[in-house]
Amino acid sequence: MRSLFRSSPRSGADGRNGVLWALARLIPFALALLVLGIELSPAHFLYTGPVLTATPALAAVTMGPKGTLSAACLALAVSVTTATHNHAWGSQQVYTNLLAILVVSLASVMTSGAIATRRKFELDQVRRIAVAAQDVILRPVPAQLGPVRAASLCLAAETGAQVGGDLYEAVQTRYGVRMIVGDVRGKGLRAMHAVAVVLGAFREAVHYEDDPVEVMNHCAAALQREAAVPGAFDQEALMEGFTTALMAQVPPDELVVQLVNRGHPPPLVLHQGQIHELVPACPLPPFGLQDLITDSPVRSESYPFLPGDRLLLYTDGVIEARNRDDSFFALPDAMKGMHADTPQDFLEGLHQQLLHHTEGRLEDDVAMILIDRVGEQTGRVANGDTKTQDQSQM
């Protein structure tokens, strides 16, 4: 009966609260069935009319109009069934009970509808404020960045009104085009706080650090410093919070893309109609789990990125989007079937396919950056200091 009920009153509630809320929504139906059992048993002499009348009123507290109407119909059906079984038709008590159920049901459905309308208005208002706050920190990437064309897309989840923890940025520097996509564990202002810290450190470091690894180290250090400030993050966020991030750099004089992946889903390259997943050879832990890094030096990894290639950076909200059959969104297949001239059109096509797959309802925020390598530039496809793979062997 899930479709009859409203969503949980608090987005992000823990599992225990979710179970208690589900049980509370079942109480009206349980009471109606209890009355039915009593009336059909030898104990039918007990007067159960007030309990049955209260069923739609209780439903209005925890359910929307559809759920309240269902509880009211069940109460009427129980009243008619028990009156017929006990041969009570014609008594004043039966008609009084029916009238009471009808009056209370009408009032309950109207009240539930008014509450649902008000709740939706408040949720939409809070969501608009949350999205506006997110837009202050996140900004669309420029359409042209040196040797690449770029586009970005950020979609808010349909559940709840809290801002998410997805982050992205693309900047043109003297070292080339530098991009970052990340995902902070959790939602709400705490997550947005971490997003602001990471982006602030990234936007500063990309212009001064020549090594992409050092840029990522700056972001991790900024988060670590912020966590040390008393009250900056609650205890749960300090104990369980971490941030996955992926940085990509397109040098101006090489036909490669350099990656530093800190526990983030690997990017995808569309090369001559084929999709290649750029999985790191040496996986690194997310920000906040630096203690897991070994003493061996961390280096960026380099992959061919030729004119005409497309590179997609994304958050896990894309690949973890599920449909009614609980199947994940097949991002590589969606990319293969896309035919778009510009990065923006390409992302819009992915957006439509994602919404079609989830039937218009996203359970998690989504962020994507797509870049096209343009021009007929000549350059080295290999870098002696980084890992290089032949595109045909990826």
Side-chain angles (χ1 to χ4, degrees), residues 138 164-169 180-202 215-227 233 236-247 260-265 283-293 314-316 367:
L138 302 177
D166 288 2
L167 61 94
Y168 65 88
E169 180 62 290
I180 188 172
V181 168
D183 189 2
V184 177
R185 185 182 185 276
K187 289 183 178 294
L189 294 179
R190 299 293 185 184
M192 186 51 59
H193 183 182
V195 168
V197 171
V198 173
L199 287 181
F202 175 80
V215 175
M216 297 293 270
N217 289 341
H218 273 277
C219 296
L223 274 177
Q224 195 170 16
R225 288 193 302 269
E226 195 68 18
F233 296 99
E236 181 181 357
L238 290 175
M239 294 297 294
E240 301 181 8
F242 58 86
T243 301
T244 66
L246 169 70
M247 178 181 169
V260 180
N261 194 331
R262 296 293 297 269
H264 200 75
L284 298 174
F287 297 152
L289 302 177
Q290 290 84 242
D291 295 339
L292 300 179
I293 298 180
Y314 55 92
T315 57
D316 59 6

Side-chain angles (χ1 to χ4, degrees), residues 162-180:
Q162 291 183 318
V163 291
D166 288 2
L167 61 94
Y168 65 88
E169 180 62 290
V171 182
Q172 184 175 3
T173 71
R174 55 181 171 171
Y175 307 109
V177 178
R178 289 178 159 181
M179 297 157 287
I180 188 172

Side-chain angles (χ1 to χ4, degrees), residues 25-318:
R25 293 183 295 180
L26 293 176
I27 289 177
F29 299 95
L31 287 178
L33 295 178
L34 177 63
V35 170
L36 180 63
I38 292 175
E39 292 291 341
L40 297 181
S41 71
H44 64 83
F45 58 86
L46 296 176
Y47 183 50
T48 57
V51 177
L52 199 58
T53 302
T55 298
L58 291 173
V61 176
T62 56
M63 289 182 272
K66 292 183 179 180
T68 304
L69 183 60
S70 298
C73 291
L74 179 60
L76 286 172
V78 169
S79 182
V80 172
T81 301
T82 56
T84 303
H85 180 267
N86 295 324
H87 306 288
W89 288 108
S91 65
Q92 183 178 1
Q93 189 180 63
V94 171
Y95 296 115
T96 301
N97 288 342
L98 287 174
L99 180 61
I101 291 174
L102 287 173
V103 172
V104 173
S105 298
L106 180 61
S108 298
V109 171
M110 293 177 62
T111 301
S112 179
I115 293 175
T117 300
R118 180 176 179 83
R119 176 178 172 80
K120 184 179 184 303
F121 173 78
E122 292 176 348
L123 187 63
D124 290 342
Q125 186 177 28
V126 173
R127 184 180 286 119
R128 286 194 297 268
I129 295 173
V131 171
Q134 199 169 31
D135 289 342
V136 172
I137 299 176
L138 302 177
R139 58 195 182 198
V141 303
Q144 185 75 37
L145 289 167
V148 302
R149 296 185 302 172
S152 61
L153 179 66
C154 185
L155 303 174
E158 295 297 328
T159 56
Q162 291 183 318
V163 291
D166 288 2
L167 61 94
Y168 65 88
E169 180 62 290
V171 182
Q172 184 175 3
T173 71
R174 55 181 171 171
Y175 307 109
V177 178
R178 289 178 159 181
M179 297 157 287
I180 188 172
V181 168
D183 189 2
V184 177
R185 185 182 185 276
K187 289 183 178 294
L189 294 179
R190 299 293 185 184
M192 186 51 59
H193 183 182
V195 168
V197 171
V198 173
L199 287 181
F202 175 80
R203 289 165 177 165
E204 180 72 14
V206 289
H207 294 286
Y208 300 102
E209 295 291 344
D210 59 347
D211 188 353
V213 175
E214 288 303 316
V215 175
M216 297 293 270
N217 289 341
H218 273 277
C219 296
L223 274 177
Q224 195 170 16
R225 288 193 302 269
E226 195 68 18
V229 177
F233 296 99
D234 55 31
Q235 191 62 31
E236 181 181 357
L238 290 175
M239 294 297 294
E240 301 181 8
F242 58 86
T243 301
T244 66
L246 169 70
M247 178 181 169
Q249 173 174 293
V250 180
D253 56 349
E254 299 179 53
L255 298 180
V256 299
V257 57
Q258 297 169 338
L259 302 177
V260 180
N261 194 331
R262 296 293 297 269
H264 200 75
L268 300 176
V269 167
L270 178 60
H271 172 73
Q272 296 181 355
Q274 298 298 317
I275 300 296
H276 305 282
E277 189 177 41
L278 307 185
V279 180
C282 299
L284 298 174
F287 297 152
L289 302 177
Q290 290 84 242
D291 295 339
L292 300 179
I293 298 180
T294 62
D295 294 334
S296 59
V298 177
R299 295 183 178 181
S300 60
E301 298 180 1
S302 183
Y303 302 84
F305 189 46
L306 308 177
D309 289 354
R310 279 179 165 165
L311 176 70
L312 179 69
L313 284 64
Y314 55 92
T315 57
D316 59 6
V318 181

Side-chain angles (χ1 to χ4, degrees), residues 88-89 136 146 207 255 345 352 359 362 364 383 386 393:
W89 288 108
V136 172
H207 294 286
L255 298 180
D345 292 340
Q352 295 303 320
E359 297 183 357
L362 295 174
D364 195 6
N383 186 328
T386 56
Q393 298 176 349

